[in-house]
């Protein structure tokens, strides 16, 4: 007989909120005090749980994607500068500018156009290499070796 499930209907809403904050399945398992395989099982057996995870993870991913896009291009936004001047709080409306970020651009391009922007370039190289290996003379003494080496050298000169 199978163990009763720990799953409760309110888990779908809780998991959805956690996914909006970027929670992974491992973090969900930790929060609900179950194993990752239990989270996978709940996704299979409880449609509302599965939908909450899927929809809210997509929303979180979309927010990160938009932030990466803006960071890659650079952006400007309204900003209130708050200071205390002579004991008075002074709020000045300003605009804050963030220039384009090269690292964000590289990340975007490598993932969106991997064939064009990957680090590893494949280069095909062909060549015709001829190895001219000279035989090593066999000798029992230094004198025999010197004579055999000279004979081999002379033979190679005559063949060229």
């Amino acid at each position: 007989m199978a163990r009763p499930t720990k799953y409760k209907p309110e888990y779908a809403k809780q998991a959805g909120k956690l996914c909006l904050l970027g929670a992974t399945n491992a973090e969900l398992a930790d929060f609900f005090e179950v194993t990752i395989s239990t989270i996978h099982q709940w996704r299979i057996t409880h449609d509302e749980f599965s939908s909450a995870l899927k929809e809210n993870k997509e929303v979180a991913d979309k927010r990160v994607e938009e932030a990466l896009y803006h960071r890659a291009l650079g952006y400007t936004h309204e900003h209130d500068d708050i200071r205390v001047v002579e004991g008075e709080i002074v709020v000045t409306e300003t605009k804050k500018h963030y220039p384009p970020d090269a690292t964000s651009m590289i990340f975007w391009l490598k993932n969106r156009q991997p064939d064009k922007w990957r680090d590893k370039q494949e280069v095909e190289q062909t060549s015709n290499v001829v190895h001219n290996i000279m035989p090593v003379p066999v000798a029992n003494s230094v004198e025999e070796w010197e004579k055999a080496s000279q004979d081999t050298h002379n033979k190679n000169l005559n063949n060229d």
Side-chain angles (χ1 to χ4, degrees):
M1 186 163 124
R3 285 189 300 174
T5 181
K6 268 185 81 171
Y7 183 79
K8 297 177 185 169
E10 58 267 22
Y11 286 2
K13 188 174 182 179
Q14 292 172 342
K17 287 180 180 180
L18 289 168
C19 288
L20 280 176
L21 297 172
T24 63
N25 287 351
E27 291 167 330
L28 292 174
D30 183 55
F31 178 81
F32 292 115
E33 297 179 347
V34 296
T35 63
I36 294 176
S37 61
T38 298
I39 296 295
H40 292 299
Q41 187 61 38
W42 288 353
R43 289 184 78 169
I44 293 167
T45 57
H46 303 283
D47 289 339
E48 71 281 0
F49 188 80
S50 179
S51 295
L53 267 60
K54 184 177 188 292
E55 291 166 12
N56 290 301
K57 282 183 178 187
E58 285 175 2
V59 169
D61 289 348
K62 182 71 174 161
R63 286 183 12 222
V64 171
E65 183 180 331
E66 289 171 0
L68 173 65
Y69 179 77
H70 289 296
R71 191 67 185 105
L73 298 179
Y75 63 99
T76 302
H77 68 89
E78 301 290 327
H79 175 72
D80 288 338
D81 182 50
I82 303 170
R83 297 175 189 236
V84 177
V85 178
E86 297 177 4
E88 297 284 323
I89 296 176
V90 178
V91 179
T92 307
E93 291 181 14
T94 63
K95 289 188 178 187
K96 201 166 195 176
H97 178 71
Y98 297 90
D101 177 62
T103 303
S104 298
M105 291 177 196
I106 292 165
F107 184 81
W108 180 272
L109 292 170
K110 282 183 179 182
N111 284 283
R112 297 279 293 219
Q113 300 176 14
D115 291 339
K116 191 174 178 182
W117 290 95
R118 69 174 154 227
D119 287 331
K120 181 180 174 186
Q121 298 293 324
E122 294 189 20
V123 178
E124 186 176 324
Q125 181 179 354
T126 59
S127 64
N128 292 325
V129 178
V130 177
H131 295 281
N132 190 2
I133 300 172
M134 292 177 44
V136 176
V138 178
N140 292 323
S141 67
V142 172
E143 292 81 18
E144 284 183 31
W145 184 83
E146 286 175 346
K147 179 164 179 5
S149 293
Q150 188 62 43
D151 291 345
T152 302
H153 178 69
N154 291 338
K155 182 179 177 185
N156 286 334
L157 287 177
N158 291 334
N159 288 338
D160 288 340

